[in-house]
Amino acid sequence: MLLAKSSPNAQPLLTDNFGRSIEYLRISVTDRCDLRCTYCIPKGFRNFNEPASWLTFEEITRLVSVMAHNGLRRVRLTGGEPLLRRNLPSLVRRLAQIDEITDISLSTNGTRLAALAAELRDAGVSRINVSLDTLKAERNEALNGRDVFRQVLDGLLAAKKAGFHPIKINMVALKGQNDSEIDDMVEFCAGHGFVLRLIEAMPMGVTGRNASHLDLQPVRERLKQKHGLVESRIEGGGPARYLASKDGRVRIGFITPISEHFCATCNRVRLAVNGTMYLCLGQNEKFEFAPLLRGGASDAQLLTALADAMALKPERHEFLEKPDQIGRIMSVTGG
């Protein structure tokens, strides 16, 4: 079936009201997670959606195909924990067959990566981000709610063996909890050839609002001086701003939604597993695609809906002005 495309002389369809081209879609393939990180999912949380509400791989692929014909270039699979979704490599293979998609990446907590790394690489995932907030097993259990430190390390080694490059380590920096380990994490990543990404906690849901926020600007300057870091570019479509040592051994990205937001260059939207498209992580604007995908909508109708959705994308988040605004947790939104 020939998919509808925007006119070559028209403004790209996937463009918001502020002139930002949306070329990056983060797809949550499940809202479930096997961890209970203190800054993400509340202790005792059980309100996950039932699978009947999840988009099928066919529905996801169709929407991505329509978007790809109109400017989408990058896809990242997220969750929850995406490796909990059964047969995930089969979705990757479907997406890899869409000519316009040039980059398929994955964010994972690493607990199931050892068993799936090689298959995911063969299916078409080229890059992965692995969450690792500490190098101390006991602290890892305290932050994650489970003793999975060895599983994550095994997953990282399996990913390295499978040929993923680059492998990025996502460390949410928490004041008074793991900030004393930042230098150790820098050395760990440098020793393994990983890229470290330091992330400021975001006030999403009660757990996010209660997280011990750490301003990364002083950390950035300290590490810059210590390692002689200079501005650098590292493959990826997200908001991280990178520094690297001149020999390339130390590579660090900073994701700073609070201390230095990156809204002016935002190029992404998020598709939750139930078909809800969130237009901004820090706002409530959203568009429901499941009724269209399951109600017989044509490609032209999907294109119209996508244009309507892009028009809803706000100029910026308001995490500082309205920290209590977002009640949904990251696992539901799509990481």
Side-chain angles (χ1 to χ4, degrees):
M1 179 175 62
L2 181 64
L3 294 173
K5 300 183 181 182
S6 58
S7 168
N9 298 319
Q11 184 183 31
L13 184 139
L14 297 184
T15 301
D16 67 15
N17 289 336
F18 305 96
R20 297 171 297 196
S21 295
I22 308 305
E23 61 169 23
Y24 181 14
L25 177 66
R26 299 176 67 100
I27 304 171
S28 174
V29 295
T30 175
D31 60 359
R32 297 182 175 181
C33 187
D34 52 350
L35 301 183
R36 290 295 181 271
C37 295
T38 57
Y39 51 81
C40 183
I41 301 179
K43 187 175 182 179
F45 183 82
R46 293 290 184 273
N47 190 28
F48 287 119
N49 289 334
E50 291 300 319
S53 68
W54 292 358
L55 294 184
T56 65
F57 289 173
E58 291 81 4
E59 291 165 340
I60 291 172
T61 303
R62 185 182 176 212
L63 185 59
V64 171
S65 295
V66 173
M67 295 180 73
H69 278 72
N70 291 275
L72 188 71
R73 295 295 176 263
R74 297 176 180 270
V75 170
R76 175 170 292 276
L77 302 177
T78 72
E81 170 46 45
L83 301 190
L84 292 177
R85 183 77 184 252
R86 287 190 303 166
N87 302 319
L88 184 64
S90 68
L91 173 61
V92 176
R93 293 187 190 95
R94 291 169 183 261
L95 298 176
Q97 292 175 0
I98 302 173
D99 290 339
E100 295 88 348
I101 297 300
T102 60
D103 182 53
I104 302 175
S105 54
L106 173 81
S107 292
T108 175
N109 63 30
T111 60
R112 301 188 176 207
L113 188 56
L116 290 169
E119 188 177 1
L120 288 166
R121 186 76 178 91
D122 290 343
V125 175
S126 58
R127 299 182 298 108
I128 61 169
N129 295 356
V130 178
S131 296
L132 183 62
D133 297 324
T134 174
L135 295 172
K136 299 180 184 297
E138 290 184 2
R139 181 174 289 167
N140 184 275
E141 184 175 2
L143 287 173
N144 292 343
R146 284 187 60 205
D147 180 14
V148 295
F149 185 64
R150 175 47 58 183
Q151 291 172 243
V152 176
L153 292 185
D154 289 345
L156 281 169
L157 294 177
K160 192 174 179 179
K161 182 178 179 180
F164 284 104
H165 182 78
I167 295 173
K168 299 177 182 179
I169 304 299
N170 287 348
M171 179 183 186
V172 177
L174 301 169
K175 187 175 182 179
Q177 296 188 55
N178 66 351
D179 51 336
S180 63
E181 291 189 63
I182 289 176
D183 288 282
D184 290 340
M185 190 69 80
V186 170
E187 289 303 319
F188 171 79
C189 291
H192 285 279
F194 302 149
V195 178
L196 174 62
R197 305 204 312 169
L198 297 173
I199 305 172
E200 290 178 344
M202 287 173 279
M204 295 189 64
V206 65
T207 46
R209 288 192 291 274
N210 291 336
S212 303
H213 172 74
L214 178 69
D215 184 340
L216 286 178
Q217 297 308 316
V219 175
R220 184 181 189 274
E221 289 306 309
R222 182 179 65 78
L223 293 175
K224 185 176 181 180
Q225 295 299 318
K226 179 177 180 179
H227 297 283
L229 305 179
V230 296
E231 299 290 334
S232 178
R233 290 181 62 85
I234 294 177
E235 183 180 358
R241 294 163 179 165
Y242 290 97
L243 298 175
S245 59
K246 292 182 180 179
D247 62 3
R249 180 175 180 272
V250 176
R251 296 174 293 170
I252 309 175
F254 297 84
I255 300 179
T256 55
I258 307 302
S259 66
E260 185 183 18
H261 73 77
F262 33 79
C263 300
T265 58
C266 184
N267 63 346
R268 61 204 154 278
V269 293
R270 288 170 168 80
L271 182 68
V273 68
N274 64 359
T276 302
M277 182 174 286
Y278 291 101
L279 286 307
C280 175
L281 197 59
Q283 298 283 10
N284 286 312
E285 282 81 359
K286 61 184 179 179
F287 197 98
E288 304 294 346
F289 278 94
L292 292 169
L293 291 167
R294 296 178 175 179
S298 66
D299 289 342
Q301 288 173 318
L302 285 177
L303 281 172
T304 298
L306 283 165
D308 291 342
M310 296 306 110
L312 294 175
K313 188 171 175 62
E315 184 175 13
R316 60 185 298 272
H317 69 67
E318 296 176 300
F319 282 139
L320 290 176
E321 299 90 337
K322 301 176 182 178
D324 297 334
Q325 179 168 253
I326 303 302
R328 66 181 186 272
I329 61 176
M330 182 71 82
S331 185
V332 172
T333 304

